[in-house]
C-alpha cells in the first residue's frame, strides 16, 4: 500500500478521520507510524495529499492540509471486456485499478459462459474493496465506473454511445497489423480511449463485425496469444504509454 | 492452450509422438480432435508447425510435416527480477513465458526476504511445466533460461556480463523521466534488452547505484506504482512493442 484511501464521509467537520479497520493495522504494523508522522492519504474520488497522524490507538489522522491538494485526473482509457471466469475476474479488479482505467464495461459474448454472471464478484460490495486495493497500490483516488451487460448486441447498438462518448475505439487481435500506438496517433486530449478485449476463445465473426461497424479499429499488442489478465495489462499499458508520449510531445 | 508442446525425445524415429498426459486430455475434450485432424504442435526449443492426429486413444500424432517448420526466434528481452514472494512467483512463470522472455535472472536484494529462496517454485521440475503452460498459451516453443542468485552484488559485479552480453539495460522507477521506448531507441538488432525490476519495497540506494554503474539506464512505465506482476507484464510489453516498431520501420 502506497497510499491510504479514506471515504469522504469518514472525515468529520474538524478534518479528522478515525480508522479502525485494516488500514489502521497496516499503518501501525507495516508503515510503523507514530503520532506526528505524515502519511500519504487520498479521499476516494477526491484529492490526494498528506495527512498528519494524531494518534495510533485509536488511529486518527488530520486532513487539514487537504485544502491545497489536487484530485488526480480520471484515467483517459476505458475497457470493454468480455466477462472472464470468476477466478480471473477476482485477480483482475485490483490490477485494472492499479493500471488506471476510467470505466470498465463488462459484457457477455458468444464464448462467455452464462453462469459467469452469477458470481458475487460482480457485486459492488465485493469488487469495490478490490478496486480500492489497486488504487492504494498505484497512488490514485479515482474509482473506475463499472457496468455489467448481459446482451452484447444491445450494448454495442443501443447503449455504448451513451455510456462512452465517441473517442478512439480499439479491438485487439493478434493478427492485426496496426499497433495500439498507431491506432491512437493524433488522438485529441478530450478523446477517451476504449479498448475491447474478447473472451479467451475470441470474438465471433458477428461480434467482430458489430464492433467494426461501431467504430472499433483493429490493433494488436504483438503476435502472441495472451490470456485475459495478461492481455488487459498489456493493452492498458500500451494505451497509457501512447497517450503519455503524446502529452509530452 | 493454442499450441501443444512436445519434447524432442517424445518423437520416435518415424516422427510419431504418443501423448498420455494432460495434453492428450486437452486435445480430446477441449479441442475435440478426431483422427485425421491437423493441430498446432511445437517441439520444446525447436520448430513449430502442424501435426496430423493419427489416433486419439492412445493419442498419437505425426510430425512428418515438421521438416519444413521454423523455430521461433528467441525473445530479445530478458528480465532481472528481485525474487518476489512465492505466491506471486507462482503466477508469474506462465505470464512471463507467454509474453516472451529469453532469460529470467532471479536475484536477492535488500528488501527480498531470505526465505523466499526456499520455495519449491525455484526448482526446475516445478517451474518448467508452468513455463510450458505460458508458451502453449502464446504459441511459442522457446523456453526462457533461468538462473537464481542469492548475492546481488556478486551477480552484478562478477556474473552479469558473462550471463548477459552487454546490450541495453534498463532499471525501472516511477520517478524516471525517460520512457522505455526512449531508452531503447536505436537499439541494434543484435542488442539484447535486460529489464531490472526491483522488490515491492524498491531497490536500495546501494543497489540502484550498483546497477547504474553497470550500464542500467533509468526509465519508467508511467508514474503509477505497480505490484511486481503488473510491473513485469507492463515492462515486457513496452520493451517488445518498442523493438517491434523498430523492426517494422
Amino acid at each position: 500500500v502506497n497510499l491510504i484511501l479514506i471515504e469522504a464521509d469518514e472525515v468529520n467537520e474538524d478534518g479528522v478521520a478515525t480508522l479502525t479497520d485494516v488500514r489502521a493495522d497496516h499503518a501501525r504494523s507495516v508503515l510503523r507510524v507514530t503520532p506526528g508522522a505524515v502519511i500519504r492519504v487520498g479521499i476516494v474520488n477526491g484529492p490526494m495529499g498528506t495527512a498528519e497522524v494524531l494518534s495510533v490507538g485509536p488511529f486518527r489522522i488530520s486532513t487539514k492540509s487537504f485544502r491545497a491538494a489536487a484530485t488526480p485526473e480520471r484515467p483517459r482509457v476505458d475497457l470493454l471486456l468480455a466477462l472472464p471466469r470468476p477466478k480471473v475476474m477476482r485477480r483482475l479488479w485490483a490490477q485494472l485499478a492499479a493500471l488506471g482505467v476510467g470505466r470498465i464495461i463488462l459484457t457477455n459474448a458468444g464464448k462467455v459462459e452464462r453462469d459467469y454472471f452469477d458470481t458475487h464478484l460482480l457485486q459492488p460490495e465485493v469488487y469495490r474493496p478490490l478496486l480500492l486495493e489497486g488504487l492504494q497500490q498505484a497512488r490514485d483516488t479515482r474509482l473506475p465506473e463499472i457496468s455489467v451487460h448481459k446482451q452484447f448486441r444491445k450494448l454495442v447498438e443501443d447503449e455504448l454511445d451513451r455510456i462512452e462518448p465517441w473517442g478512439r475505439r480499439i479491438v485487439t487481435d493478434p493478427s492485426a497489423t496496426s499497433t495500439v500506438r498507431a491506432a491512437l496517433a493524433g488522438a485529441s486530449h478530450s478523446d477517451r480511449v476504449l479498448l475491447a478485449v474478447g473472451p479467451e476463445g475470441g470474438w465471433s465473426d458477428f461480434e467482430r463485425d458489430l464492433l467494426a461497424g461501431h467504430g472499433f479499429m483493429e490493433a494488436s499488442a504483438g503476435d502472441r496469444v495472451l490470456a485475459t489478465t495478461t492481455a488487459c495489462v498489456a493493452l492498458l499499458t500500451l494505451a497509457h504509454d501512447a497517450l503519455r508520449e503524446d502529452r509530452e510531445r
Side-chain angles (χ1 to χ4, degrees), chain A:
Chain A
V1 171
N2 298 298
L3 170 78
I4 289 182
L5 277 172
I6 57 182
E7 307 281 352
D9 63 9
E10 290 183 298
V11 183
N12 72 13
E13 57 203 10
D14 298 324
V16 173
T18 304
L19 308 181
T20 54
D21 58 8
V22 63
R23 293 167 298 175
D25 299 339
H26 179 83
R28 277 187 295 245
S29 61
V30 181
L31 305 179
R32 296 191 185 167
V33 298
T34 49
V38 172
I39 58 175
R40 278 177 205 268
V41 167
I43 311 282
V44 175
N45 285 324
M48 177 165 67
T50 56
E52 189 188 338
V53 176
L54 300 177
S55 67
V56 296
F59 191 78
R60 296 169 67 242
I61 54 177
S62 163
T63 61
K64 276 195 183 156
S65 65
F66 265 60
R67 262 168 252 167
T71 298
E73 272 183 60
R74 184 174 172 224
R76 279 175 62 194
V77 184
D78 301 313
L79 189 64
L80 169 65
L81 175 64
L83 185 64
R85 58 183 196 280
K87 189 179 156 191
V88 172
M89 197 64 230
R90 171 180 297 281
R91 291 188 197 145
L92 211 41
W93 286 121
Q95 287 194 68
L96 296 179
L99 286 161
V101 59
R103 184 190 304 280
I104 303 170
I105 303 169
L106 294 168
T107 180
N108 194 17
K111 289 200 177 146
V112 170
E113 306 276 341
R114 272 277 166 185
D115 62 6
Y116 290 179
F117 284 90
D118 301 334
T119 174
H120 67 291
L121 286 164
L122 299 184
Q123 293 169 6
E125 62 271 27
V126 177
Y127 65 67
R128 197 170 191 277
L130 299 171
L131 292 172
L132 290 175
E133 184 188 314
L135 295 178
Q136 292 188 127
Q137 163 71 41
R139 288 188 191 146
D140 190 5
T141 70
R142 304 287 301 234
L143 266 179
E145 290 168 35
I146 310 296
S147 61
V148 180
H149 305 263
K150 289 194 182 177
Q151 293 178 268
F152 178 79
R153 183 172 183 168
K154 189 169 162 226
L155 165 65
V156 177
E157 289 188 339
D158 304 336
E159 300 169 338
L160 195 56
D161 288 349
R162 186 162 30 87
I163 300 174
E164 175 83 9
W166 197 286
R168 295 291 177 112
R169 295 177 171 181
I170 295 177
V171 56
T172 55
D173 188 305
S175 69
T177 52
S178 173
T179 62
V180 171
R181 170 173 304 270
L184 293 182
S188 92
H189 284 231
S190 58
D191 279 344
R192 295 200 64 80
V193 173
L194 179 60
L195 302 170
V197 176
E200 293 278 344
W203 299 108
S204 69
D205 288 343
F206 168 78
E207 290 159 354
R208 194 175 294 281
D209 289 347
L210 198 66
L211 290 171
H214 288 79
F216 285 82
M217 293 175 54
E218 291 208 347
S220 96
D223 54 5
R224 303 173 80 92
V225 186
L226 300 175
T228 299
T229 307
T230 319
C232 287
V233 175
L235 287 163
L236 282 171
T237 299
L238 290 173
H240 279 301
D241 191 62
L243 297 176
R244 172 191 183 197
E245 290 197 4
D246 204 50
R247 194 175 62 215
E248 284 169 1
R249 209 170 287 138

